[in-house]
């Protein structure tokens, strides 16, 4: 890997790990579901404009969404990711 790849990997690791620290710090002030919704909304607010800038277009019809979902994000992985993102704040909140 080139040095730029290492730098990007380190930045990604810091951003990924920081979400858990922020979740732990925010839970005394926000309910778990609100925290999860904010995390997903911030991610979408960042990623959707990036997709558009790089020339990708979001599907217009439900048939296009179904076709992309089957290619991009199979259902079992989608469910496991969704549950892990939703349940992590609840687990931290129970420990507090």
């Amino acid at each position: 890997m080139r040095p730029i790849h290492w730098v990007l990997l380190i930045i990604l690791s810091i951003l990924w790990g920081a979400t858990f620290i922020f979740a732990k710090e925010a839970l005394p002030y926000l309910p778990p579901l609100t925290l999860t919704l904010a995390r997903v909304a911030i991610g979408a607010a960042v990623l959707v404009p990036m997709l558009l800038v790089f020339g990708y277009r979001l599907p217009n019809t439900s048939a296009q969404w179904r076709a992309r979902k089957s290619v991009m994000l199979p259902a079992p992985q989608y469910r496991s990711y969704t549950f892990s993102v939703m349940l992590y704040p609840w687990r931290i909140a129970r420990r507090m």
Side-chain angles (χ1 to χ4, degrees):
M1 286 190 345
R2 296 184 301 174
I4 187 66
H5 294 140
W6 285 106
V7 169
L8 291 173
L9 180 61
I10 290 169
I11 291 171
L12 177 65
S13 300
I14 291 169
L15 290 174
W16 191 277
T19 60
F20 299 106
I21 296 168
F22 292 141
K24 190 171 184 176
E25 295 298 320
L27 274 172
Y29 308 105
L30 295 171
L33 189 57
T34 304
L35 184 62
T36 301
L37 178 63
R39 182 178 171 197
V40 171
I42 290 169
V46 170
L47 291 177
V48 169
M50 287 177 63
L51 285 173
L52 298 175
V53 165
F54 288 112
Y56 293 98
R57 296 289 172 242
L58 295 175
N60 294 329
T61 65
S62 61
Q64 289 175 339
W65 276 106
R66 282 192 300 274
R68 287 220 180 155
K69 179 182 169 191
S70 65
V71 172
M72 293 173 30
L73 200 54
Q77 288 83 357
Y78 176 73
R79 281 192 304 266
S80 66
Y81 176 75
T82 301
F83 290 133
S84 67
V85 166
M86 285 175 33
L87 295 178
Y88 179 73
W90 265 287
R91 191 180 82 197
I92 293 176
R94 288 185 65 199
R95 290 183 180 178
M96 297 179 126

